[in-house]
Every structure is written in structure tokens, then in C-alpha cells.
Amino acid sequence: TDNVIAELNLGQALFKLGRTVESIGHFERILQIEPNEPMAHGSLGAALLKTGQTSVALVHLQKSLEIDPKQASVHSSLGVALLQTGQAEESLAHLQAALKIDPENGEAHYNLGNTFLQMRRAQEALAEYERAVQINPDDTEALNNMAWVLATWPDALIRDGNKAVAAAERADFLTNGRSPIISATLAAAYAEAGRFADEGCGVDPAQPRGHFV
């Protein structure tokens, strides 16, 4: 109905603006009218996930895919929720499903990178972060995590200080130097690259240098 479409559009607009709590009310109203509306379940699940309500989010994301399994963004959100609940293999399956549906989904590549990293598959994680940045060059989270792995991973064959610096400097530039996490990652990158004069860059040396978003 027109009311459902209007509520869905408004809820999704609010979510994109960061007004997540407000968006939840709109998605819930849709489900009162249309209990099996897949996009409402998926959007509500994503909003609940963002507010830390992972277990409830899982229910709505799974319901959404039961109704319509060809939603890349919902598979991606479900992959995040499953990783947060310690189900890495299940997370991997849903993120790969998302990318089978939509290979150019940068967020799904980023989320898949996080899942690979949790599984200690650093090389595959880096490939996914790099793909996410190719799709969206301003993805500061992917840039940060890529730099963190390149700067701090225990395996020296994975680390690359110069690449880490390039990624971290780009992320730092995009955030106007205002992210403590990215600043700390940049310090770790400078250290790995042997640029010790740059390593301090305003970061408290008592804090861990490697940070993961």
C-alpha cells in the first residue's frame, strides 16, 4: 500500500541520516500493517543491529530472507550479526551469498573482510578490504582495518609498512585527523614503516597502537 511505501522510504531515509532509533518506529509500524513485508524486516534488523540489539536483529534478518532470499544487503547485515554472536562460518556463508547477488556491494566486501580476519585469514581479509576501497575510495573503516592488518599482523609476510601508511593516511585525511582509532592505526603504520619521527602524531603512547574498527 501507499502507507507502507511511505513509511519504508521515511524509515530508510532516517536510518541513512543516522537517526536509527527513529527509523525503528517506522519499520515496526509497517510490520503491524504487513507482517510479511521482507524489506521492513530487513531494514528493522539492520537498525536493531546498529543499536546493539543483535539477538532481536537476527530474528528479523532471518525472517526477511525466508520471505525473499535474494536481498544482498540483508545477507550482509545477517553476516555481521552472526559474526557478533560467534558464528563465523555462518557469517561467511551469508556474506558470500550477498556478493553472489551483488558483487559490487562494498559494504559486504568490508564485512567479509572482518569475518575473514576473525577467522585469522588475513590475506583474504586484506583482499576484501582492498575491494571495498576500490568500490568506495572514501570507506574509512575499510582503509583503517586494511592499514591495521598491514601494520600489526604477527606474520611478517603479511605486513607492509608503506602500504599501511598509505591506507592510514588516506583514512586520517578523510576524517580530518579527528578519529583516535585511525590516528592510533596511523602511528602503528609509521612504526612498521620505520618512520619513528612520525609515529607519535598526537597519539597517547600508553595506548595500544593497533586498532580495529
Side-chain angles (χ1 to χ4, degrees), residues 4-171:
V4 168
I5 295 170
E7 287 280 3
L8 185 61
N9 288 339
L10 182 53
Q12 290 177 337
L14 289 167
F15 182 77
K16 289 178 181 178
L17 290 170
R19 294 162 63 178
T20 309
V21 175
E22 288 178 72
S23 76
I24 288 172
H26 291 280
F27 301 138
E28 289 175 335
R29 277 195 289 277
I30 294 169
L31 293 174
Q32 289 172 358
I33 303 167
E34 295 284 352
N36 291 318
E37 167 49 53
M39 292 182 68
H41 277 291
S43 296
L44 178 57
L48 290 167
L49 182 62
K50 194 169 184 179
T51 59
Q53 302 177 67
T54 307
S55 59
V56 187
L58 276 168
V59 173
H60 287 285
L61 294 167
Q62 289 167 337
K63 179 66 174 177
S64 178
L65 290 174
E66 284 174 15
I67 301 165
D68 179 3
K70 294 184 178 180
Q71 302 176 86
S73 63
V74 180
H75 277 291
S76 182
S77 293
L78 182 54
V80 174
L82 288 165
L83 186 64
Q84 289 181 2
T85 56
Q87 301 175 71
E89 291 290 346
E90 293 85 348
S91 170
L92 181 64
H94 279 284
L95 290 164
Q96 289 173 331
L99 290 168
K100 186 174 182 180
I101 297 165
D102 180 9
E104 298 300 305
N105 188 317
E107 186 174 352
H109 281 288
Y110 167 73
N111 292 336
L112 181 55
N114 290 344
T115 295
F116 276 135
L117 201 62
Q118 189 71 29
M119 299 170 80
R120 311 297 293 175
R121 293 163 64 172
Q123 197 68 56
E124 290 162 289
L126 284 172
E128 295 303 325
Y129 293 143
E130 287 171 4
R131 186 70 188 111
V133 171
Q134 286 173 358
I135 294 167
N136 178 13
D138 294 344
D139 186 340
T140 57
E141 292 182 336
L143 285 163
N144 177 80
N145 289 6
M146 180 166 57
W148 181 84
V149 174
L150 291 168
T152 69
W153 198 253
D155 185 349
L157 294 175
I158 298 290
R159 296 197 307 274
D160 186 323
N162 291 329
K163 285 185 178 180
V165 167
E169 284 185 338
R170 172 71 177 162

